[in-house]
Amino acid sequence: MENKIETLSTVVVDYQSDLYKIVDALNRTLKEKDLMFGLALDKQDENKAVFTIYRT
């Protein structure tokens, strides 16, 4: 059985210290819909964050 993760959308936003709370709430709420959300600091600009939506 292959577990494939598909990237649906990626957006770069201004980094805020509470962004992880939104990502956590989305992951907890929508995991039954086979959606997963990610957040990472932009490698080129530490003032930006990369928000990604995946289908699992």
Side-chain angles (χ1 to χ4, degrees), residues 15-45:
Y15 175 76
Q16 297 292 321
S17 61
D18 285 343
L19 280 175
Y20 77 93
K21 293 178 184 179
I22 295 169
V23 173
D24 183 56
L26 288 167
N27 279 324
R28 291 174 188 262
T29 304
L30 297 174
K31 65 183 174 185
E32 294 84 18
K33 305 257 187 229
D34 296 327
L35 294 173
M36 180 173 68
F37 302 85
L39 184 68
L41 284 177
D42 188 305
K43 292 179 183 177
Q44 282 80 33
D45 185 352

Side-chain angles (χ1 to χ4, degrees), residues 41-53:
L41 284 177
D42 188 305
K43 292 179 183 177
Q44 282 80 33
D45 185 352
E46 64 184 32
N47 295 314
K48 299 285 184 181
V50 180
F51 175 73
T52 307
I53 304 170

Side-chain angles (χ1 to χ4, degrees), residues 2-8 36 53-56:
E2 187 178 323
N3 187 10
K4 189 173 181 181
I5 298 176
E6 174 188 6
T7 301
L8 299 177
M36 180 173 68
I53 304 170
Y54 305 95
R55 182 178 316 278
T56 58

